[in-house]
Amino acid sequence: MLKPRLVQDAKAELALAALRPSEYTAALIQVLQAKSGAVRGAKVLEVGSGSGVVLAALGELGAASLCGIDIEEDAVTSGMLLLAELGHGETSELYLGDMWLPVAARRFDLIVANLPHFPMERSDVPGRLPTWSAGGSNGRALLDPFLEGLEAHLAGGGRAIITHNAFVDIERSREILAGFGLALSIALTTLVYIPEDKLSRMSASVLAVPDGRSIHRYGPYAFGEMHIVEIVRDGVAS
């Protein structure tokens, strides 16, 4: 029989593995580093903070305060531990909750997000949480409410920087944001490998539209275009 301490350690390792960063995380951090001037001294919020590594990067770039939200308890715990380990514990707060609810009526200078927005339903994927990448049948189950609530949480002159798969209708995102007086621009486009365990779960109706345009296949291998987008109030330079 495993001792309780060993069981706890094993569970912690599994949680960390399930929250491990992806190519999306790396691309988001790359853009944040390039725009470090917008980070220094900023009050920052990350919706869907996962492992906490993006908040850690923002802390290293000089953010004045760090706030994270996630629906997974393991994510909140892991994020708190990482930020404390790196010396950002006193300037950070993490909440267990859904989307904007934990920060109602609060505004931030910079909001970042790498939300699950792959067009697939929740399912068991080995080594990942059931919420991993699951954005609903059209990939927009979380993306749309994020965009619809964004303006109410941006401080004057604030901005958001988020990941956005090209194949989940970026023009629809532009339309939603325009309705709130916000404008979207693409800061970076990169290809990300789509493993078979994700591709096989991708909604067929979505897959049929971008195939050959924003999804590129080479034999058994598939790559999708992913954007890092910046969102500001319309008429404000990014």
Side-chain angles (χ1 to χ4, degrees), residues 7-93:
V7 171
Q8 290 177 358
D9 290 346
K11 287 182 177 179
E13 288 181 8
L14 287 172
L16 285 174
L19 294 166
R20 64 189 181 277
S22 68
E23 301 98 322
Y24 289 75
T25 315
L28 179 58
I29 291 174
Q30 179 182 348
V31 170
L32 292 170
Q33 289 175 337
K35 294 180 176 290
S36 59
V39 179
R40 284 191 294 273
K43 294 188 297 183
V44 172
L45 169 68
E46 182 179 16
V47 178
S49 52
S51 67
V53 68
V54 174
L55 287 173
L58 289 163
E60 295 298 306
L61 290 170
S65 63
L66 306 168
C67 181
I69 300 169
D70 206 288
I71 61 170
E72 300 286 356
E73 187 173 357
D74 286 343
V76 174
T77 301
S78 296
M80 290 175 65
L81 291 172
L82 177 63
L83 292 171
E85 178 186 343
L86 296 176
H88 303 299
E90 293 186 1
T91 58
S92 63
E93 49 185 324

Side-chain angles (χ1 to χ4, degrees), residues 174 177-178 180-185 230-236:
R174 289 187 194 277
L177 291 166
F180 293 93
L182 301 175
L184 176 155
S185 62
E230 185 172 12
I231 303 164
V232 297
R233 286 189 169 82
D234 199 7
V236 176

Side-chain angles (χ1 to χ4, degrees), residues 108-233:
F108 298 85
D109 303 311
L110 175 63
I111 298 175
V112 301
N114 176 22
L115 296 170
H117 64 293
F118 197 83
M120 67 184 220
E121 301 295 346
R122 291 192 184 196
S123 59
D124 290 329
V125 178
R128 288 291 191 178
L129 298 171
T131 51
W132 176 66
S133 291
S137 60
N138 63 358
R140 305 191 64 92
L142 297 174
L143 184 59
D144 284 356
F146 173 85
L147 297 176
E148 290 162 0
L150 180 59
E151 193 280 332
H153 294 281
L154 279 178
R159 71 189 67 205
I161 300 176
I162 70 171
T163 60
H164 195 303
N165 283 317
F167 45 83
V168 294
D169 196 354
I170 195 166
E171 293 309 315
R172 173 59 183 153
S173 295
R174 289 187 194 277
E175 292 173 6
I176 292 172
L177 291 166
F180 293 93
L182 301 175
L184 176 155
S185 62
I186 296 174
L188 174 72
T189 299
T190 188
L191 287 179
V192 294
Y193 174 60
I194 306 176
E196 179 57 31
D197 58 0
K198 286 181 69 173
L199 194 65
S200 63
R201 292 171 170 82
M202 187 174 182
S203 304
S205 58
V206 176
L207 180 60
V209 175
D211 209 4
R213 286 178 285 177
S214 57
I215 294 181
H216 310 277
R217 296 174 183 264
Y218 306 98
Y221 306 106
F223 298 84
E225 290 183 11
M226 186 271 291
H227 305 304
I228 304 298
V229 303
E230 185 172 12
I231 303 164
V232 297
R233 286 189 169 82

